[in-house]
């Protein structure tokens, strides 16, 4: 086995060998935390009387859990197959399979993804007679998710918001949604943790069982835990408080998902005797990159405080670039990627990060023009493709016949001449008889209004029963079961008969899904059961699918890049209102999170970092001017070299590609240097001034900032929202003098 202890630095070694009591490891970006975590587990197994199944290690991605297992196996001469290592969701599924009957579910529950949850929400909205435009399924699901992350039940929700008409209706949707999930023996992602917490709180024997079981608990990325995850961990920690949490307050970037940075900031208050060890030696980036990251994050007030350092060389300065438009910015990025590929040998060594997915369009066009292979990480997931979701729905029904949502998805895939009117009758009988949809299908002959289609309904039910026999009585392996379902259901024949380019692509995707099932069956770390396979499919994330060996440039949001690293990183769109986002401007905590997000982006780069922006960007059909991001100004000039060329070379590339820069209306055009300067009083506005615009109406000036010989005026219009306009072209009329203070 590897001599892993000798390879650790002093702080890592101390964190590994401090096995007893509560421990907070404040691990900076690239500081070797995975090595430390794996070494700690190996050390515990080799130097205490702990068995692998007595260790609980919680990670935020399956990929991180797999990497930890692989490293532990290299370090320790112990079989770790029984160790509990996985994400919060996968750990909770494992617990729930043994005790979810305590809250009225069966252990054969299935997990619904966000699309399936939205479908149920739509049904609730329809049944309650609400307008789905006023109460959009997406927004309601977001409200419900936040409530669950705060452990707020539908009853608690109604108690809190019962006097608020709109929120009272949302509460009714929430309650009906939960009833539908229970009827389908299904849980959404939030339920996995919420129901586990509920059982551990209310069932002392279950709680003590797991507290006794886990002698040591390790939690990675602790800064990203939400309130229910925090509560789950607290319930599992035993009296010995042998809990080690690893995280970085400077990388807490998931507030929009419910993450609570106070969980890590208050850890030493929660565990009064907790020891804190800081890992601040970075093994990833050059010192110039780290110095820039340190300079940016030092402007945050709500942080523990640390300074990353490295023994690596100073490295190249950070390259900044300003294009006239987003297309010029994109052309620069594409040109530099081709140059860096010549230096490094692979397109896959370059990554383009941005704040919002909408920024990718111009970059993708530039990469296509330069014939640079690329992959958008936030594109459609493999498991979100229709044909894959159809086959997964078949497997869900085989595992859990109570899943009426999945039955409805596949009952006419392929076509079986079972119309919507028939399905509505089946659902009505399901509700009236308080039975399941599958049972109504199986006994359709017993219902007068279904007799004319009873044969078709029963044939479908018999087919599902046959699949269940193959899965459970004959113990057919998952990969063979998938092939059997594709054949006997007629799904594969349907695609072959279509004989279109699209159907051929779908067949290729299905064949890849069979490969996924085959690899699962032959994985020594699984038992090969159908429920395990469904859990794997439902809980996979975008990062889990990222293949670093694929030679193509990867494009992704900064949020998606968390946990990844690249030799060369391009950070695009470094502009105010974009990064930091406009939504963060009014709240200090939100602005600090945006700064942490920038810190994460910078520290993804190992050797080279480019930070780019555009002087103007097309938004909602208007070309609007931009000012540089404040985060750029927070980096000392000695760490930056500017390669801006006024956009001339980039404009030539765009014109050679045959892509014209669309002329904009006169009042939104960016000023050129040859334009005559306006009179001072044309843009001499102060916050509070009341102004009138010919298109947007009356509004109040929020701010005014000089921009060359012009000015950028931010105005909160009474009926049109906030706009950023060039003063000289906006032709604003002053209608009331503002407060001059």
């Amino acid at each position: 086995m590897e001599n892993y202890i000798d390879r650790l630095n002093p702080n890592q070694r101390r964190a590994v060998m401090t096995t007893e009591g509560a421990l907070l490891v404040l691990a900076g970006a690239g500081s070797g935390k995975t090595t430390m975590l794996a070494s700690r587990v190996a050390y515990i197994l080799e130097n205490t009387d702990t068995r692998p199944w007595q260790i609980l290690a919680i990670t935020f991605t399956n990929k991180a859990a797999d990497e930890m297992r692989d490293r532990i196996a290299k370090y320790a001469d112990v079989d770790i197959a029984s160790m509990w290592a996985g994400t919060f969701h996968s750990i909770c599924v494992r617990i729930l399979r043994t005790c979810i009957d305590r809250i009225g579910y069966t252990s054969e529950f299935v997990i619904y993804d966000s699309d399936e949850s939205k479908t149920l929400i739509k049904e609730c909205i329809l049944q309650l007679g609400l307008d789905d435009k006023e109460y959009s399924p997406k927004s309601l699901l977001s409200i419900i998710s936040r409530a669950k992350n705060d452990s707020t039940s539908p009853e608690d929700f109604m108690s809190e918001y019962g006097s608020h008409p709109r929120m009272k209706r949302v509460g009714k949707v929430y309650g009906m949604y939960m009833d539908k999930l229970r009827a389908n023996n299904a849980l959404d992602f939030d339920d996995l943790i919420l129901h586990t917490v509920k059982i551990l709180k209310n069932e002392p024997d279950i709680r003590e069982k797991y507290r006794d079981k886990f002698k040591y608990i390790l939690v990675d990325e602790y800064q990203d835990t939400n309130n229910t995850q925090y509560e789950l961990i607290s319930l599992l920690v035993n009296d010995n408080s042998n809990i080690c949490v690893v995280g970085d307050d400077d990388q807490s970037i998931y507030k929009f998902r419910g993450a609570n940075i106070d969980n890590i900031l208050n850890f030493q208050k929660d565990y009064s005797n907790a020891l804190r060890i800081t890992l601040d030696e970075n093994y990833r980036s050059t010192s110039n990159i780290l110095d820039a990251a340190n300079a940016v994050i030092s402007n945050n007030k709500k942080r523990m405080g640390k300074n990353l350092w490295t023994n690596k060389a100073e490295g190249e300065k950070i390259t900044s670039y300003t294009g006239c438009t987003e297309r010029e910015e994109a052309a620069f990025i594409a040109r530099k990627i081709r140059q860096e590929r010549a230096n490094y040998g692979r397109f896959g060594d370059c990554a383009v990060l941005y704040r919002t997915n909408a920024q990718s369009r111009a970059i993708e066009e530039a990469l296509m023009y330069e014939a640079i292979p690329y992959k958008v990480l936030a594109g459609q997931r493999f498991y979100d493709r229709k044909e894959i979701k159809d086959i997964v729905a078949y497997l869900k029904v085989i595992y859990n016949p109570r899943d009426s949502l999945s039955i409805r998805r596949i009952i006419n895939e392929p076509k079986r001449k079972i119309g919507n009117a028939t399905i509505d009758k089946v659902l009505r009988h399901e509700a009236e008889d308080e039975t399941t949809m599958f049972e109504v299908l199986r006994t359709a002959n017993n219902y007068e209004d279904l007799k004319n289609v009873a044969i078709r309904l029963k044939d479908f039910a018999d087919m599902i029963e046959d699949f269940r026999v193959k899965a459970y009585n004959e113990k057919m392996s998952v990969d063979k079961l998938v092939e059997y379902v594709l054949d006997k259901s007629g799904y594969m024949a349907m695609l072959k008969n279509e004989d279109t380019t699209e159907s051929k692509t779908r067949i290729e995707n299905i064949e890849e899904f069979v490969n996924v099932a085959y690899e699962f069956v032959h994985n020594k770390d699984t038992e090969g059961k159908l429920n395990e396979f469904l859990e794997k499919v439902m809980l996979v994330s975008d990062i889990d699918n990222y293949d670093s060996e694929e030679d193509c440039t990867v494009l992704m949001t900064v949020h998606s890049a968390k946990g990844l690293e690249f030799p060369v990183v391009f950070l695009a769109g470094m502009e105010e209102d974009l990064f930091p986002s406009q939504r963060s401007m009014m709240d200090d905590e939100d602005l600090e999170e945006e700064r942490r997000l920038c810190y994460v982006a910078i520290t993804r780069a190992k050797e080279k970092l480019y930070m780019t922006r555009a002087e103007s960007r097309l938004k909602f059909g208007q070309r609007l001017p931009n000012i540089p991001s404040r985060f750029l100004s927070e980096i000392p000039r000695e760490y930056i070299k500017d390669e801006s060329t006024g956009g001339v070379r980039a404009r030539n590339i765009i014109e050679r590609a045959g892509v014209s820069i669309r002329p904009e209306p006169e009042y939104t055009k960016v000023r050129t240097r040859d334009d005559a300067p306006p009179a001072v009083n044309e843009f001499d506005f102060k916050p509070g001034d009341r102004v009138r615009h010919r298109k947007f109406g009356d509004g109040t000036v929020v701010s005014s900032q000089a921009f060359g010989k012009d000015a950028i005026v931010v105005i909160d219009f009474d009926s049109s929202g906030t706009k950023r306009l060039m003063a000289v072209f906006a032709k604003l009329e002053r209608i009331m003098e503002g407060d001059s203070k």
Side-chain angles (χ1 to χ4, degrees):
M1 307 308 292
E2 292 187 16
N3 189 353
Y4 56 92
I5 295 293
D6 290 346
R7 295 189 294 105
L8 302 174
N9 68 38
N11 282 358
Q12 289 175 330
R13 190 176 302 120
R14 186 177 171 214
V16 165
M17 301 176 73
T18 305
T19 61
E20 305 307 304
L23 174 64
L24 166 61
V25 180
L26 195 62
S31 62
K33 66 166 184 166
T34 304
T35 297
M36 185 280 299
L37 275 169
S39 300
R40 179 179 169 85
V41 173
Y43 186 85
I44 289 171
L45 290 173
E46 291 186 330
N47 293 276
T48 71
D49 61 354
T50 305
R51 307 307 304 151
W53 51 266
Q54 294 177 303
I55 294 177
L56 172 62
I58 301 177
T59 63
F60 263 77
T61 65
N62 297 303
K63 183 177 181 180
D66 291 341
E67 185 177 356
M68 185 187 297
R69 283 179 174 276
D70 290 343
R71 294 204 191 188
I72 295 169
K74 291 179 182 177
Y75 298 162
D77 190 16
V78 178
D79 182 4
I80 62 167
S82 62
M83 188 180 82
W84 284 48
T87 63
F88 274 98
H89 292 105
S90 65
I91 294 298
C92 286
V93 168
R94 195 166 174 180
I95 292 174
L96 290 172
R97 291 289 180 205
T98 68
C99 59
I100 199 170
D101 60 303
R102 300 287 182 101
I103 57 172
Y105 284 79
T106 75
S107 60
E108 292 79 21
F109 66 84
V110 292
I111 304 167
Y112 280 176
D113 63 19
S114 58
D115 288 338
E116 291 165 319
S117 293
K118 285 177 190 173
T119 299
L120 281 191
I121 293 287
K122 287 178 185 176
E123 291 180 7
C124 297
I125 291 170
L126 181 64
Q127 290 177 23
L128 290 171
L130 302 176
D131 184 350
D132 62 359
K133 292 181 180 177
E134 183 179 358
Y135 297 88
S136 73
K138 183 178 180 180
S139 65
L140 263 59
L141 194 58
S142 177
I143 293 172
I144 291 169
S145 178
R146 287 199 298 272
K148 290 184 177 185
N149 287 336
D150 288 332
S151 297
T152 303
S153 68
E155 294 75 22
D156 295 336
F157 191 93
M158 290 296 282
S159 296
E160 185 174 352
Y161 297 107
S163 61
H164 188 290
R166 175 180 171 80
M167 295 304 283
K168 184 177 180 180
R169 296 186 187 101
V170 174
K172 288 181 178 179
V173 172
Y174 183 10
M176 183 178 287
Y177 170 66
M178 294 301 286
D179 290 341
K180 286 180 178 290
L181 284 171
R182 186 179 297 276
N184 286 304
N185 200 33
L187 281 68
D188 65 20
F189 292 134
D190 295 319
D191 287 334
L192 296 175
I193 301 174
L194 182 68
H195 289 327
T196 306
V197 167
K198 182 177 181 179
I199 292 171
L200 291 174
K201 285 176 70 174
N202 298 332
E203 306 291 339
D205 60 320
I206 301 294
R207 182 173 65 249
E208 293 309 313
K209 169 187 172 182
Y210 286 103
R211 280 188 167 185
D212 291 342
K213 177 183 179 65
F214 300 127
K215 292 178 63 175
Y216 293 93
I217 295 177
L218 300 89
V219 186
D220 193 11
E221 304 288 3
Y222 193 66
Q223 78 281 349
D224 292 328
T225 53
N226 61 33
N227 292 339
T228 50
Q229 290 165 341
Y230 168 85
E231 194 170 7
L232 173 72
I233 295 163
S234 300
L235 287 165
L236 290 173
V237 174
N238 58 33
D239 293 337
N240 295 327
S241 295
N242 285 337
I243 177 170
C244 170
V245 301
V246 183
D248 183 2
D249 56 322
D250 290 334
Q251 296 189 74
S252 180
I253 60 172
Y254 292 115
K255 182 181 176 183
F256 70 97
R257 292 183 187 170
N260 186 350
I261 191 174
D262 289 334
N263 291 347
I264 191 168
L265 295 177
N266 294 333
F267 182 81
Q268 289 175 282
K269 294 180 182 178
D270 294 336
Y271 300 90
S272 57
N273 295 320
L275 177 67
R276 175 171 135 192
I277 297 173
T278 300
L279 305 184
D280 51 7
E281 181 178 0
N282 179 283
Y283 296 94
R284 175 189 299 161
S285 307
T286 63
S287 63
N288 265 332
I289 291 172
L290 293 182
D291 288 341
N294 288 330
V296 170
I297 201 63
S298 67
N299 290 277
N300 273 5
K301 297 177 181 177
K302 194 173 182 178
R303 61 189 296 256
M304 293 182 180
K306 66 179 179 308
N307 222 45
L308 294 181
W309 61 277
T310 183
N311 280 319
K312 296 182 74 172
E314 182 179 88
E316 294 189 30
K317 290 185 177 183
I318 296 167
T319 300
S320 69
Y321 174 83
T322 302
C324 287
T325 67
E326 67 272 20
R327 291 184 180 274
E328 291 182 355
E329 176 193 35
F332 172 81
I333 291 171
R335 190 168 65 249
K336 286 297 180 180
I337 288 174
R338 184 161 291 286
Q339 290 178 13
E340 296 297 359
R341 190 252 188 172
N343 295 332
Y344 286 88
R346 297 179 70 250
F347 288 116
D349 288 329
C350 298
V352 184
L353 311 183
Y354 34 74
R355 180 63 182 84
T356 67
N357 282 310
Q359 293 172 249
S360 74
R361 183 181 64 86
I363 298 169
E364 288 186 65
E365 289 176 0
L367 295 180
M368 284 189 283
Y369 171 69
E370 290 284 348
I372 294 173
Y374 70 91
K375 178 180 181 179
V376 181
L377 192 62
Q380 186 184 35
R381 291 193 325 149
F382 174 75
Y383 295 104
D384 286 339
R385 292 175 167 85
K386 179 186 181 302
E387 58 276 12
I388 304 303
K389 290 177 78 75
D390 287 344
I391 301 308
V392 170
Y394 271 102
L395 297 179
K396 283 184 175 181
V397 175
I398 293 169
Y399 182 66
N400 171 31
R402 285 174 55 182
D403 184 2
S404 67
L405 193 65
S406 293
I407 289 176
R408 280 179 276 166
R409 181 180 185 96
I410 61 175
I411 198 167
N412 262 319
E413 289 287 348
K415 300 297 183 186
R416 297 186 176 94
K417 297 183 179 179
I418 301 173
N420 290 333
T422 297
I423 293 172
D424 289 341
K425 292 175 185 177
V426 171
L427 293 174
R428 189 175 68 250
H429 290 305
E430 174 192 23
E432 290 173 352
D433 295 355
E434 295 184 353
T435 184
T436 66
M437 184 179 185
F438 184 77
E439 186 62 19
V440 175
L441 297 176
R442 196 180 66 81
T443 60
N445 253 325
N446 296 343
Y447 300 94
E448 192 64 33
D449 58 349
L450 294 177
K451 284 190 174 179
N452 62 331
V453 290
I455 293 177
R456 292 197 287 273
L457 299 180
K458 191 171 185 306
D459 283 348
F460 175 82
D462 288 345
M463 178 184 67
I464 298 299
E465 287 287 10
D466 175 50
F467 295 159
R468 285 176 58 78
V469 167
K470 295 296 182 187
Y472 296 109
N473 293 18
E474 299 181 18
K475 307 295 183 185
M476 183 178 280
S477 64
V478 173
D479 56 332
K480 297 299 181 185
L481 179 64
V482 171
E483 293 177 339
Y484 187 78
V485 168
L486 288 167
D487 178 29
K488 297 302 180 182
S489 68
Y491 198 95
M492 188 64 87
M494 172 190 72
L495 293 178
K496 289 180 178 177
N497 289 336
E498 285 182 16
D499 194 27
T500 63
T501 301
E502 182 181 1
S503 68
K504 289 175 182 176
T505 300
R506 288 184 169 182
I507 289 172
E508 290 174 358
N509 290 334
I510 287 174
E511 289 172 346
E512 179 59 28
F513 185 73
V514 175
N515 291 338
V516 171
Y518 177 85
E519 290 174 0
F520 166 79
V521 169
H522 292 83
N523 185 339
K524 61 180 177 60
D525 293 329
T526 70
E527 296 181 24
K529 293 180 179 179
L530 178 58
N531 67 292
E532 285 184 293
F533 181 67
L534 286 171
E535 290 161 18
K536 169 185 166 63
V537 169
M538 296 306 297
L539 299 179
V540 73
S541 68
D542 287 337
I543 283 185
D544 293 328
N545 285 329
Y546 170 61
D547 180 7
S548 61
E549 298 303 315
E550 190 175 357
D551 189 18
C552 63
T553 295
V554 61
L555 279 60
M556 69 186 97
T557 64
V558 181
H559 281 103
S560 298
K562 180 79 182 298
L564 302 177
E565 59 182 43
F566 306 89
V568 183
V569 168
F570 294 82
L571 183 51
M574 294 301 296
E575 302 142 25
E576 287 289 291
D577 290 352
L578 184 56
F579 199 8
S581 68
Q582 188 177 46
R583 291 191 303 271
S584 69
M585 298 298 191
M586 306 304 292
D587 186 279
D588 288 342
E589 286 194 6
D590 289 344
L591 186 58
E592 291 210 348
E593 176 143 328
E594 289 285 304
R595 187 173 281 110
R596 292 194 293 269
L597 193 59
C598 184
Y599 175 82
V600 167
I602 292 172
T603 54
R604 297 312 94 194
K606 297 169 69 175
E607 298 176 27
K608 287 189 179 180
L609 175 64
Y610 292 82
M611 302 180 82
T612 67
R613 72 178 187 92
E615 286 186 328
S616 70
R617 197 172 290 271
L618 198 62
K619 298 177 183 178
F620 306 108
Q622 284 188 302
R623 182 157 295 283
L624 299 176
N626 300 309
I627 58 177
S629 168
R630 68 191 67 196
F631 302 148
L632 281 174
S633 65
E634 291 172 355
I635 301 174
R637 293 299 94 188
E638 62 261 30
Y639 303 133
I640 295 179
K641 62 177 179 180
D642 188 4
E643 290 193 7
S644 303
T645 57
V648 175
R649 292 171 59 195
R651 187 178 295 278
N652 290 338
I653 290 176
I654 294 172
E655 290 172 353
R656 287 204 307 273
V659 180
S660 62
I661 298 178
R662 173 178 155 193
E664 304 303 325
E666 182 66 15
Y667 65 87
T668 61
K669 186 180 72 176
V670 177
R671 168 173 296 285
T672 66
R673 292 179 180 177
D674 296 330
D675 289 335
V680 173
N681 62 5
E682 283 191 58
F683 57 82
D684 185 18
F685 296 104
K686 299 179 291 296
D689 283 356
R690 291 287 290 173
V691 295
R692 180 168 295 148
H693 185 271
R694 60 184 179 181
K695 178 179 179 181
F696 302 126
D698 294 351
T700 303
V701 174
V702 176
S703 66
S704 178
Q705 181 172 351
F707 185 77
K709 296 179 179 179
D710 204 335
I712 299 171
V713 186
V714 179
I715 304 167
D716 183 10
F717 287 101
D718 298 345
S719 58
S720 305
T722 302
K723 307 288 182 184
R724 298 174 72 248
L725 305 173
M726 296 298 290
V728 68
F729 294 115
K731 298 181 179 178
L732 297 168
E733 176 187 351
R734 199 188 314 270
I735 58 176
M736 185 182 77
E737 199 65 30
D739 188 348
S740 61
K741 289 188 291 184

